[in-house]
Structure formats: C-alpha cells, structure tokens
Amino acid sequence: QDEELKKDEGIFELYKIPSYNDMERAFCFNPENKKKFPLIELFMRRRDDFMKVKHLLTLVEFTNYLMKKYSHKMWRKDARDKPMSDAMTTEKEKLMFENFMESWKNVHFGDDLGFGCAHLPNIEFTWKHELIFFLPDLKEKGSGLYMMAGLRTL
C-alpha cells in the first residue's frame, strides 16, 4: 500500500497556495478577460476601496450607539467640552471606542474628507477628542461633519 502511495505522489503537486497577485497576473495575461469579465475587472481596479467596507459596521455601530446615548440629551456646547475619556466610561464603551479608532485609522480616507462643500483634514482620533466629533451633525463644521463625511465616503 505504501508503494502505491509513493507512485501516486507525482500525480498532483501544489507548489504554492495561489494569492491575489497570482490571480491578477493570470487575469491580466489575457487582454480579452477585461471584456469577458467586467465585474472581476471592476473588483481588481477598485479592490482597495472595496476592502475598506469591512470597517463600515464598526463605524456605524459606534455612531449609532452614541446617537442613542446622547442625542437630544446633551447640549452641543456640553458635547464640545466633553472628551471621549469622560464620555466612554464602561469597559464595553471603551472597547467600542478602541475598535472605532482602529477602524477609522485603517480606512485611510486620504488627506481630505469632504461632505458637501466642507473639506476636513483627516485626523487620527484619540481619547482627548471631544464627543461632538463623533455625533453626526451637519451644523458642526469641523466636528460633527467628520462622521457624516466618513460614513458617506464608505
């Protein structure tokens, strides 16, 4: 039985596990593939943008949580003065904010975020940022617009 296994070993050999780059090279090898498979061509062209979508749920869940907790329960001026370290006090909230900050950083929005006519420089959020930055608001240029712009971009 061992002899039979040794004979059959040469039938199929996997030299390496194919990667995305291998698939891309094979796809691009034949120029006709772009015409035959437009959806695959679109995916390959916009792959980096599509990969950002995995962070969308974290951003939406965090934003929704804050809106439920603070909307119509706090004045804007109070939200401007409340750092996230004071707003997120439970272990669950702290973990949610850590996950949010990681997702925001990993999305790589680029140099500018835009919403309507407003252009906002991309920033890396920390515990020192005020609560107003994380509550979507069209009236708060430079703060509430960040969530509006980030969610719209994704």
Side-chain angles (χ1 to χ4, degrees):
Q1 199 172 25
D2 289 337
E3 288 297 316
E4 284 181 39
L5 288 175
K6 286 183 181 178
K7 275 197 252 178
D8 291 340
E9 280 183 20
I11 292 176
F12 178 76
E13 290 185 45
L14 182 63
Y15 292 101
K16 70 177 189 172
I17 297 173
S19 68
Y20 173 79
N21 291 336
D22 295 330
M23 187 207 59
E24 186 175 35
R25 274 193 296 276
F27 183 81
C28 293
F29 182 74
N30 183 350
E32 292 294 314
N33 284 341
K34 289 182 181 183
K35 292 176 189 166
K36 287 181 187 176
F37 308 105
L39 191 58
I40 293 173
E41 195 271 330
L42 173 67
F43 173 79
M44 291 170 68
R45 195 168 16 98
R46 303 283 310 270
R47 179 177 184 250
D48 291 339
D49 293 334
F50 293 142
M51 297 306 285
K52 293 177 183 180
V53 173
K54 69 181 175 184
H55 300 289
L56 181 61
L57 183 61
T58 303
L59 300 181
V60 169
E61 285 178 342
F62 180 73
T63 303
N64 285 345
Y65 177 81
L66 289 180
M67 289 188 328
K68 284 179 187 174
K69 184 174 180 178
Y70 290 108
S71 279
H72 303 290
K73 296 175 186 157
M74 179 181 279
W75 293 100
R76 278 191 181 100
K77 66 179 179 68
D78 295 333
R80 275 188 214 103
D81 296 334
K82 189 174 195 97
M84 289 305 283
S85 57
D86 293 344
M88 308 300 282
T89 56
T90 68
E91 289 304 314
K92 176 187 173 188
E93 290 174 333
K94 290 175 183 178
L95 180 61
M96 285 176 71
F97 187 55
E98 289 290 337
N99 290 338
F100 167 85
M101 288 189 295
E102 186 67 24
S103 287
W104 186 270
K105 184 173 69 176
N106 288 329
V107 169
H108 304 292
F109 287 110
D111 294 336
D112 285 323
L113 279 171
F115 191 85
C117 295
H119 294 283
L120 309 164
N122 192 6
I123 57 177
E124 190 170 320
F125 290 117
T126 67
W127 287 97
K128 294 178 184 178
H129 281 90
E130 294 82 14
L131 175 62
I132 196 83
F133 277 92
F134 307 96
L135 296 170
D137 191 348
L138 292 173
K139 297 176 184 171
E140 289 292 326
K141 183 175 183 187
S143 54
L145 277 180
Y146 271 93
M147 290 306 104
M148 301 291 288
L151 293 171
R152 182 173 185 203
T153 299
L154 285 175

